[in-house]
Amino acid sequence: MIGLLRLMLVAVPATLWWGGRVLWAARRRSPRLHCLCETLARRWARSLLRSVGARVVLHDAEVIDPDRPQVLVANHVSWFDVLALAGHVPGPFRFVAKKELEGIPVFGPAWQACGHISIDRQDRARAIESLAVARQRLVEERPTVILFPEGTRSITGELRSFKKGAFVLAIQTGVDVVPAAITGTRAIMRKGSWRIRTGRTIHVYFGEPIPVKGYEMEERNELTARARDSVQLLLRSDP
């Protein structure tokens, strides 16, 4: 429980401080809000990683182009996947994640103020609306939109089947899909456990972007399968 205590001693004040700054900027309609969101999100994520002695190593991060929109899809086994990406993905980014995050005090409102997108996994119509919002973000703000297409964390660590939403989004907007594999986070904290192991290294492997030009909506299953195969291959490359 020492790892959890160390995390909470940092997470609570960090969330109140940085989340509060975002909410204050949003309330004032500051023109610097988006810049502030990206800067503070990285500081927040990195502070939490440092609290448990976690180190993040990026592999082939140059495939992320900060100057153009992309859809990044990654495996998901731990909450620390989010921290690793939020703290280290180059350039502007937006997450698409479960709606329940909105209910976390301070964090939830700050999350929404920064333009991240909540998706209701229990309501298909609202999930489609969320993808429409993500499409608008890609067109207008040109960030890297990050999704975990398994839909939830894997208990065993094995890669689960991918849902199609990320790939529908990519085809609709015509932006490349970047596969990514995250390893080492499950060793820190597993789904269903509050135990946190300290002093671990997280590796994030980025694969070659998959161009979606030429894919029709009827071929979304093929694109989904191709992206999943790419993530699986990256996972196997981990020593």
Side-chain angles (χ1 to χ4, degrees):
M1 296 300 288
I2 293 176
L4 179 61
L5 179 60
R6 286 172 59 178
L7 176 67
M8 296 307 295
L9 286 173
V10 172
V12 172
T15 302
L16 290 173
W17 171 244
W18 283 317
R21 289 182 63 186
V22 166
L23 293 176
W24 177 243
R27 182 183 179 88
R28 291 169 46 236
R29 298 185 180 179
S30 170
R32 296 185 61 253
L33 176 61
H34 286 311
C35 180
L36 194 65
C37 281
E38 290 167 19
T39 301
L40 296 185
R42 293 186 196 283
R43 291 179 182 175
W44 174 81
R46 291 180 181 184
S47 69
L48 269 59
L49 290 165
R50 284 196 301 270
S51 73
V52 298
R55 186 172 70 99
V56 177
V57 179
L58 303 184
H59 302 266
D60 300 315
E62 63 274 7
V63 304
I64 302 294
D65 187 343
D67 297 321
R68 64 172 178 158
Q70 295 173 303
V71 172
L72 187 151
V73 295
N75 63 307
H76 196 21
V77 295
S78 170
W79 286 118
F80 281 85
D81 300 331
V82 177
L83 297 178
L85 293 176
H88 295 86
V89 166
F93 61 89
R94 302 287 183 275
F95 278 92
V96 177
K98 63 182 184 178
K99 185 177 178 62
E100 288 82 353
L101 293 178
E102 293 180 3
I104 301 175
V106 181
F107 175 89
W111 160 278
Q112 291 178 285
C114 286
H116 299 288
I117 303 146
S118 301
I119 190 163
D120 190 340
R121 297 178 296 183
Q122 309 304 318
D123 189 322
R124 187 172 183 273
R126 291 193 174 184
I128 292 173
E129 290 176 5
S130 296
L131 287 177
V133 173
R135 184 167 65 247
Q136 184 179 4
R137 295 272 194 277
L138 277 168
V139 172
E140 295 179 355
E141 301 174 13
R142 302 176 63 81
T144 294
V145 172
I146 302 171
L147 302 97
F148 298 108
E150 293 169 277
T152 188
R153 288 165 292 158
S154 170
I155 295 177
T156 63
E158 295 297 317
L159 190 65
R160 296 159 52 95
S161 60
F162 278 10
K163 299 183 185 299
K164 302 180 185 68
F167 310 101
V168 169
L169 175 64
I171 292 172
Q172 287 177 335
T173 55
V175 304
D176 292 351
V177 173
V178 178
I182 307 168
T183 66
T185 53
R186 189 169 180 265
I188 299 173
M189 185 180 189
R190 300 183 180 187
K191 182 177 181 179
S193 172
W194 288 100
R195 182 183 178 187
I196 294 177
R197 300 166 180 84
T198 60
R200 305 302 172 103
T201 299
I202 300 168
H203 292 271
V204 182
Y205 299 88
F206 297 100
E208 282 298 316
I210 302 171
V212 302
K213 186 177 181 179
Y215 277 96
E216 301 293 338
M217 194 57 68
E218 294 76 15
E219 298 172 299
R220 59 189 180 278
N221 289 344
E222 287 83 350
L223 179 58
T224 302
R226 182 178 174 185
R228 186 185 182 280
D229 288 345
S230 296
V231 174
Q232 186 71 78
L233 189 62
L234 289 169
L235 287 170
R236 289 174 182 162
S237 71
D238 186 54

